[in-house]
Amino acid sequence: MLSPCSLLCRLATLLCVWLRLAGDKHKHYEGRVEVNYNGEWGTVCDDDFSIHAANVVCRELGYVEAVSWSPSSKYGKGEGRIWLDNVHCSGLERTLAQCESNGFGVSDCKHSEDVGVVCSQRRIPGFKFISTLTDNVESLNVQVEDVRIRAISSQRKRVPMTEGYLEVKDGGKWRQICDLEWTEMNSRVICGMYGFPGEKRYNTKVYNLLSKRRKKNYWGFGVNCTGNEASLHGCKLGHKVELRRNATCDKGLPVVVNCVPGRAFAPSHAQGFSKAYKVEQPLVRLRGGANIGEGRVEVLKNGEWGTVCDDSWNLKAATVVCRELGFGSAKEALAGGKLGQGMGPVHMNEVKCSGFEKSLTECYFNRDALGCSHEEDAAVRCNVPAMGFQNRLRLSGGRNPFEGRVEVLAEKNGSLVWGTVCSDSWGTIEATVVCRQLGLGFANNAFQETWYWPGDVSADDVVMSGVRCSGTEMTLAQCLHHGKHLDCPRGGGRFAAGVSCSETAPDLVLNAQVVEHTTYLEDRPMYILQCANEEHCLSSSAAAATSSSYRRLLRFSSQIHNNGLTDFRPRAAHHSWIWHECHRHYHSMEVFTHYDLLSLNGTKVAEGHKASFCLEDTQCEEGIEKRYECANFGQQGITVGCWDTYRHDIDCQWIDVTDVVPGDYIFQVVINPNFEVAESDYTNNVMKCRCRYDGHRIWMYNCYIGERPELTGDSFTFLSETYNINDRVALLS
């Protein structure tokens, strides 16, 4: 038992010790554990640290529990003293200072051994974060239970909610902040954390009048933000405020913020939000992300999209990207191709931003990306506004939260009711929009019968039919669909639309350079094309051709990469593959690619197609093992980081151009054209080339993947290089 003197000493120690999470962190609930003892910040050594100690740290900081802890300075090396070493906690201690250790300042560790923790995002209800006995509060981060923007009555029905009083929840109560030391940088951080790229002034007269009528309950501190924090929790506490009820903020008012939404989320009279967001002339875009506001960062240079190397990639650069695209600040700056790998060039390396640039292209960067592979592609996750999208849709009857019958909240006879979606024309693209709207990732499958998922009987009636989506929509309601006059012959219930979603998906991309370099013409006798003719790989005129005649074939190789996060697998199982007797092989997908020759105005003049007679790993990136091989009726697919090569010399790897007249054309290849297998990105499934045919030879040039950006004006500048429109080859639509 401690003596009264020892007890007083222990109590004195506890009063002058407090904690914070610091370092290279992405979220406010994780970071390097730092201890302030006698007014000086230091770190904790990872020797003997445990999940019990991590739980004590997290609870002391106001979180319910710890998720994990990390040794060896995962969040960067700290500075100053290493205050605690060989920490032993039972997990029941109220503070880290109560745990057994070598004593404050007694350590044989280096900062390379600084410990870090990841806490649960859940806060302890009613937790009092800042002790009134603490001195030097300006060195502490803002720690509160919750933050909100509380709209005034005239603004409460607006979606998204962009304006209102800023309130923080501390000690179980919502409190306002005095605006005497409030700055634009503080407002910038608040708007960013709520998904808005900027802030603007508000009508002070309205809030002055309201303030006089309302009883106020102020928080005891100011706030000091630099403007680059991802949320209010990254800001430092400002000065203490003397709490005297309504007289607390004598010469000021409660803080009000007014945010500017990005174009995708701008309120409209029709729906509360605009149609799917499209930048007129984007220089930066996101690809491969499962949800709104996330993806691999790609930049435009020389009319070609390329990726960003993750060397030096951080939250400041990620936030510049997010705000540029109309989102808020970045929640995460992801490295290592976490959201899929791109194709083509790496345009930027060692990006360094102040955080206040209007575009990523204004940041300093190294043009030399030597040594950077697509395994190092940078990505972001941005804060997006709360639009309430998830409240208008639900999945019912599934075995888990990622699958089920799609049910929509719709207006019927003046009231809102749940109902089903007609499955006529329902496909993978529509399922993709549903999964995105619910925040469940990518579509895995689209179902046109859902009798095996017993949904809510009261929601059996069809409330939406004729749904057709482009895939860019944020909600199912944004897709084309019938209005009040529904048309669904089979009805809902067992025939209602359904989906299954997945957090990851494959992403097939054709290597355009291989196509361009392997193209040639071959005149092949009809008598050795009988199998190909049976599989409809020749033009219609071949039906009347004699066995001694020749067909002119445009041949090429196609190298198809899987740059996604999941293996690409045919939807059909082994038992349903189709056997082709003439070629003596199975087709796992009847149409895997389309090959088309188009006139310059887009009219089709010749066509071909390729079934997946053998979908396998031809080659893989270094360190990745092949998993799929067609031999002996083996499993078919393409592993992540591998590619399947259809060589130019195999049957049907061509377009029959026997009847094509000489001229200039567009050559087009489309992978997975019927969206039979779900992917994370369909925009890179199309390759186009310019093509010139003189009757004897053929030239393929200017091949590109996806959409080719059109340029406006006389010239454009990007990355300090200027290009004249008249000097470039005409871009394809």
Side-chain angles (χ1 to χ4, degrees):
M1 183 175 177
L2 292 174
S3 66
C5 184
S6 298
L7 191 60
L8 286 173
C9 290
R10 175 64 64 88
L11 180 61
T13 299
L14 297 180
L15 291 176
C16 62
V17 173
W18 59 94
L19 307 182
R20 70 181 180 189
L21 300 181
D24 303 329
K25 57 183 180 176
H26 300 301
K27 311 176 189 77
H28 60 83
Y29 49 85
E30 67 174 342
R32 180 177 62 247
V33 180
E34 293 197 347
V35 178
N36 190 301
Y37 178 67
N38 284 344
E40 182 182 347
W41 285 104
T43 62
V44 178
C45 183
D46 60 19
D47 290 350
D48 296 333
F49 203 82
S50 67
I51 191 64
H52 301 302
N55 275 320
V56 172
V57 168
C58 291
R59 285 200 301 271
E60 189 170 355
L61 291 170
Y63 300 98
V64 171
E65 61 186 354
V67 175
S68 63
W69 65 278
S70 304
S72 306
S73 62
K74 176 186 174 181
Y75 296 97
K77 297 179 182 180
E79 296 179 348
R81 311 238 340 235
I82 297 175
W83 278 126
L84 293 173
D85 187 9
N86 297 113
V87 177
H88 292 270
C89 300
S90 68
L92 301 176
E93 295 84 356
R94 295 186 63 184
T95 76
L96 194 65
Q98 288 180 331
C99 298
E100 291 183 15
S101 69
N102 293 349
F104 280 93
V106 181
S107 171
D108 58 357
C109 294
K110 299 178 181 178
H111 282 297
S112 58
E113 300 170 84
D114 287 342
V115 77
V117 299
V118 179
C119 301
S120 162
Q121 295 184 51
R122 290 182 298 139
R123 298 283 194 173
I124 298 173
F127 186 87
K128 189 70 178 175
F129 285 85
I130 306 298
S131 169
T132 53
L133 297 174
T134 299
D135 294 321
N136 192 25
V137 293
E138 289 82 358
S139 62
L140 294 177
N141 283 19
V142 173
Q143 296 288 341
V144 289
E145 284 178 61
D146 205 355
V147 185
R148 73 180 182 187
I149 297 176
R150 183 170 61 82
I152 58 177
S153 56
S154 61
Q155 303 275 354
R156 282 176 188 165
K157 291 186 179 180
R158 290 189 62 176
V159 178
M161 189 171 65
T162 58
E163 179 183 339
Y165 289 106
L166 177 68
E167 296 186 339
V168 296
K169 193 175 186 182
D170 187 23
K173 295 182 179 179
W174 287 103
R175 306 174 191 275
Q176 299 88 38
I177 299 176
C178 180
D179 70 356
L180 288 179
E181 295 183 355
W182 192 259
T183 66
E184 286 186 12
M185 292 298 101
N186 295 352
S187 293
R188 172 184 165 87
V189 170
I190 297 299
C191 290
M193 72 180 285
Y194 280 102
F196 304 114
E199 71 290 337
K200 62 180 181 180
R201 295 183 179 180
Y202 60 92
N203 187 342
T204 55
K205 291 182 180 179
V206 172
Y207 290 96
N208 283 341
L209 288 172
L210 287 172
S211 181
K212 292 176 182 177
R213 302 173 190 167
R214 294 183 177 218
K215 183 179 179 181
K216 293 173 279 294
N217 182 18
Y218 284 104
W219 192 45
F221 302 90
V223 174
N224 184 15
C225 305
T226 66
N228 271 327
E229 295 84 357
S231 71
L232 184 67
H233 299 96
C235 300
K236 300 294 184 186
L237 286 175
H239 293 120
K240 283 186 179 180
V241 175
E242 187 181 346
L243 298 178
R244 292 179 291 129
R245 295 186 178 273
N246 277 11
T248 296
C249 192
D250 243 350
K251 298 179 181 178
L253 296 167
V255 166
V256 175
V257 292
N258 189 11
C259 305
V260 181
R263 190 179 307 180
F265 310 100
S268 70
H269 298 293
Q271 295 173 299
F273 51 89
S274 64
K275 294 293 183 184
Y277 181 50
K278 279 194 174 181
V279 186
E280 292 168 1
Q281 286 294 331
L283 295 179
V284 179
R285 70 183 185 185
L286 301 182
R287 283 291 183 269
N291 299 304
I292 302 166
E294 69 175 44
R296 177 179 62 253
V297 180
E298 296 187 351
V299 293
L300 180 65
K301 179 185 178 184
N302 286 22
E304 184 176 17
W305 288 101
T307 61
V308 177
C309 189
D310 62 14
D311 292 351
S312 303
W313 188 249
N314 60 21
L315 274 178
K316 287 184 180 179
T319 291
V320 171
V321 169
C322 291
R323 291 184 187 271
E324 178 179 3
L325 294 176
F327 305 113
S329 51
K331 290 190 289 188
E332 289 185 83
L334 299 166
K338 290 272 180 70
L339 296 184
Q341 298 179 21
M343 289 282 284
V346 179
H347 283 327
M348 303 175 80
N349 184 24
E350 297 176 355
V351 178
K352 294 179 182 176
C353 304
S354 69
F356 295 96
E357 292 85 355
K358 296 293 184 184
S359 169
L360 187 69
T361 61
E362 296 175 8
C363 298
Y364 168 83
F365 64 94
N366 187 348
R367 295 173 186 273
D368 181 8
L370 290 175
C372 280
S373 68
H374 286 296
E375 293 177 354
E376 301 170 87
D377 284 344
V380 299
R381 284 198 175 102
C382 307
N383 286 311
V384 297
M387 302 293 291
F389 291 154
Q390 295 173 330
N391 303 326
R392 305 170 194 173
L393 202 67
R394 70 186 184 189
L395 301 184
S396 180
R399 295 162 297 181
N400 57 62
F402 285 82
E403 67 177 20
R405 185 176 78 175
V406 179
E407 296 179 357
V408 179
L409 189 63
E411 187 174 336
K412 190 174 183 179
N413 300 326
S415 60
L416 290 174
V417 296
W418 287 100
T420 57
V421 178
C422 185
S423 62
D424 291 353
S425 76
W426 186 258
T428 305
I429 300 298
E430 289 71 35
T432 295
V433 175
V434 168
C435 293
R436 182 188 301 129
Q437 181 175 349
L438 291 173
L440 297 178
F442 304 103
N444 197 24
N445 275 302
F447 300 94
Q448 294 190 340
E449 291 187 11
T450 51
W451 52 267
Y452 35 77
W453 286 331
D456 187 341
V457 177
S458 65
D460 277 353
D461 291 344
V462 173
V463 296
M464 181 181 282
S465 65
V467 180
R468 286 292 181 92
C469 304
S470 69
T472 62
E473 298 87 354
M474 291 189 289
T475 71
L476 200 63
Q478 289 179 342
C479 299
L480 292 173
H481 61 277
H482 297 150
K484 294 181 180 178
H485 304 288
L486 302 173
D487 181 17
C488 189
R490 293 200 301 172
R494 60 180 294 182
F495 296 111
V499 302
S500 67
C501 306
S502 173
E503 292 179 332
T504 57
D507 182 22
L508 297 188
V509 187
L510 185 69
N511 190 323
Q513 193 175 32
V514 169
V515 174
E516 191 168 347
H517 291 172
T518 58
T519 307
Y520 65 98
L521 292 176
E522 180 191 15
D523 291 334
R524 196 167 180 83
M526 189 67 193
Y527 70 84
I528 61 174
L529 291 173
Q530 292 307 311
C531 283
N533 198 28
E534 282 185 23
E535 292 188 15
H536 308 291
C537 295
L538 301 175
S539 61
S540 57
S541 64
T546 63
S547 61
S548 59
S549 62
Y550 283 76
R551 307 301 296 181
R552 177 157 289 181
L553 307 175
L554 168 58
R555 285 185 172 276
F556 53 91
S557 295
S558 60
Q559 188 183 97
I560 300 170
H561 294 243
N562 182 2
N563 288 351
L565 299 174
T566 304
D567 294 353
F568 184 92
R569 296 289 308 278
R571 179 180 295 179
H574 268 77
H575 69 273
S576 59
W577 292 359
I578 300 172
W579 174 256
H580 285 258
E581 183 65 31
C582 192
H583 274 134
R584 307 291 297 174
H585 59 228
Y586 284 95
H587 286 179
S588 58
M589 292 175 66
E590 269 305 292
V591 180
F592 180 53
T593 49
H594 277 169
Y595 307 135
D596 297 310
L597 199 63
L598 312 172
S599 66
L600 295 184
N601 66 9
T603 305
K604 188 182 296 184
V605 297
E607 66 181 5
H609 72 274
K610 189 77 184 123
S612 62
F613 78 90
C614 176
L615 202 62
E616 66 178 2
D617 297 327
T618 307
Q619 285 181 275
C620 298
E621 300 283 357
E622 187 178 348
I624 298 176
E625 292 186 9
K626 298 178 182 179
R627 297 182 60 189
Y628 302 102
E629 189 174 6
C630 299
N632 301 319
F633 199 39
Q635 289 287 344
Q636 292 194 22
I638 308 177
T639 305
V640 175
C642 300
W643 57 90
D644 186 10
T645 302
Y646 283 80
R647 285 176 51 87
H648 56 83
D649 55 0
I650 62 176
D651 264 11
C652 298
Q653 186 62 30
W654 63 54
I655 295 180
D656 183 351
V657 294
T658 306
D659 306 318
V660 174
V661 299
D664 288 320
Y665 297 97
I666 298 169
F667 174 63
Q668 176 178 277
V669 178
V670 184
I671 309 169
N672 193 16
N674 300 327
F675 313 113
E676 189 175 328
V677 178
E679 297 185 49
S680 61
D681 186 1
Y682 291 107
T683 63
N684 56 15
N685 282 28
V686 181
M687 187 214 72
K688 291 184 180 181
C689 301
R690 287 298 298 269
C691 178
R692 176 163 292 178
Y693 174 49
D694 68 357
H696 305 284
R697 294 169 298 174
I698 198 159
W699 292 268
M700 203 77 72
Y701 60 97
N702 280 11
C703 294
Y704 63 91
I705 300 292
E707 297 178 3
R708 189 70 176 248
E710 290 287 354
L711 309 181
T712 57
D714 295 328
S715 64
F716 77 106
T717 303
F718 178 58
L719 307 184
S720 304
E721 298 179 32
T722 304
Y723 305 86
N724 193 283
I725 296 294
N726 299 322
D727 293 339
R728 66 182 175 89
V729 179
L731 297 175
L732 306 179
S733 60

